[in-house]
């Protein structure tokens, strides 16, 4: 049976140096519940280690978590990579990690990069700077992700930096993107007026939350799907088999 699921497919945890320290698994799941989300994705910068604790905690609350990460490509384009399961995410994540430059994080400049468990105990600190570009092109990141059964959604394409449109200005049709992400802070109609090329693509809107207050957005994405799986998300993005995706104003 198909049903509507409220989704936010772009949320950072304390592993992202630019995210606030309040972005631990428990707080994220609580914020997701408060927002009424049925589907959440954890997408740290070039990293995946904090996805599993959120998956475990969210499952107890009936919220599905899509395994993902936000990769910064050689062209400084941010792209969301989603995988069907944690195993595939780890495999792709390790491959992506091997292409990060060997730069050490400077917590006093960039912030701490904290790996936690479900209880929010600190397991370790990631030493390698995650806020870097991997030495892989967008096309290569897409290939690696798709070969593992995943899909890609270029992130915040309406932003003037670190985005597909701003950095490459290219038509992404050759990349086989599932959808393009726009900021949930903006009216999609206005965004499409500014970037008419977006009309031809499926759009999703996400919070890109780096702090808990970011969860509150004026627009939200709903998927009409049979189950909160990557395969169903792919069908919805393609508008196939009755599945669909819409961006609507958040109710007040
Ligand atoms: Zn980004
Ligand atoms: Zn992000």
């Amino acid at each position: 049976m198909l049903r509507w699921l409220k989704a936010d497919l772009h949320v950072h945890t304390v592993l992202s140096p630019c995210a606030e320290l309040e972005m631990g698994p428990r707080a994220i799941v609580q914020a997701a519940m408060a927002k009424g989300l049925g589907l959440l994705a954890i997408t740290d910068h070039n990293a995946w280690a904090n996805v599993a604790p959120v998956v475990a905690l969210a499952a107890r609350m009936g919220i599905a978590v899509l395994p993902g990460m936000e990769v910064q490509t050689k062209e400084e384009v941010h792209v969301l990579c989603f995988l069907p399961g944690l195993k595939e995410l780890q495999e792709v994540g390790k491959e992506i990690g091997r292409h990060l430059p060997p730069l050490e994080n400077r917590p006093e400049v960039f912030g701490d990069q904290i790996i936690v468990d479900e209880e929010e105990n600190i397991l370790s600190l990631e030493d390698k700077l995650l806020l870097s570009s991997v030495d892989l092109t967008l096309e290569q990141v897409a290939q690696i992700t798709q070969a593992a059964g995943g899909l890609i959604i270029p992130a915040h394409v309406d932003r003037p930096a670190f985005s597909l449109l701003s950095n490459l200005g290219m038509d992404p049709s050759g990349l086989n993107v599932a959808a393009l992400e726009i900021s949930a802070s903006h009216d999609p109609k206005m965004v499409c007026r500014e970037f008419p090329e977006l009309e031809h693509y499926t759009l999703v809107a996400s919070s890109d939350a780096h702090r808990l207050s970011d969860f509150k957005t004026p627009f939200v994405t709903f998927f009409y799907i049979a189950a909160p799986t990557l395969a169903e998300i792919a069908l919805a993005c393609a508008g196939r088999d009755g599945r669909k995706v819409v961006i609507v104003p958040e109710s007040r």
Side-chain angles (χ1 to χ4, degrees):
M1 195 181 69
L2 298 172
R3 63 195 164 114
W4 287 104
L5 270 185
K6 196 179 193 180
D8 188 344
L9 298 186
H10 190 160
V11 171
H12 291 268
T13 77
V14 286
L15 181 51
S16 292
C18 43
E20 296 293 327
L21 293 178
E22 64 189 12
M23 294 300 273
R26 279 187 191 170
I28 288 172
V29 171
Q30 276 168 11
M33 283 179 65
K35 193 172 171 172
L37 296 180
L39 181 60
L40 172 72
I42 297 300
T43 52
D44 281 312
H45 291 291
N46 298 315
W48 47 272
N50 280 352
V51 175
V54 181
V55 169
L57 278 176
R60 287 180 218 155
M61 303 300 170
I63 300 172
V65 178
L66 214 55
M69 62 195 294
E70 181 178 24
V71 177
Q72 183 172 314
T73 71
K74 202 176 194 170
E75 307 94 338
E76 296 196 330
V77 170
H78 285 191
V79 59
L80 301 173
C81 302
F82 297 110
L83 282 304
L86 285 172
K87 188 172 151 279
E88 293 88 347
L89 176 67
Q90 283 187 17
E91 283 167 11
V92 169
K94 283 179 184 168
E95 172 75 17
I96 297 291
R98 280 193 282 275
H99 289 274
L100 267 173
L103 300 173
E104 285 213 355
N105 184 31
R106 290 169 58 203
E108 72 283 7
V109 177
F110 301 108
D112 284 305
Q113 304 179 146
I114 305 172
I115 297 173
V116 291
D117 65 11
E118 281 171 56
E119 310 298 326
E120 304 203 337
N121 297 309
I122 295 180
L123 299 179
S124 60
L125 297 176
E126 172 64 55
D127 296 329
K128 218 175 186 184
L129 179 62
L130 297 173
L131 271 188
S132 311
S133 295
V134 295
D135 65 349
L136 294 165
T137 63
L138 175 59
E139 210 177 331
Q140 287 171 318
V141 172
Q143 279 166 2
I144 291 168
T145 306
Q146 288 159 353
L151 57 81
I152 62 157
I153 298 182
H156 41 69
V157 295
D158 52 336
R159 262 197 226 155
F162 296 110
S163 80
L164 176 73
L165 293 184
S166 70
N167 290 33
L168 293 178
M170 60 178 268
D171 182 324
S173 53
L175 286 172
N176 195 18
V177 299
L180 300 177
E181 182 204 72
I182 59 171
S183 167
S185 301
H186 303 128
D187 185 335
K189 286 197 190 85
M190 299 301 286
V191 175
C192 286
R193 209 165 292 164
E194 192 180 343
F195 305 101
E197 59 268 53
L198 298 186
E199 300 264 20
H200 306 292
Y201 296 92
T202 299
L203 300 179
V204 297
S206 315
S207 70
D208 193 6
H210 284 71
R211 55 191 62 76
L212 292 173
S213 58
D214 290 343
F215 273 91
K216 284 194 182 126
T217 53
F219 291 87
V220 285
T221 299
F222 279 84
F223 286 93
Y224 191 58
I225 47 183
T229 62
L230 194 68
E232 285 286 321
I233 302 279
L235 284 175
C237 289
R240 283 173 48 201
D241 300 347
R243 276 73 168 167
K244 50 194 162 185
V245 51
V246 294
I247 303 171
V248 294
E250 175 67 291
S251 53
R252 290 171 205 284

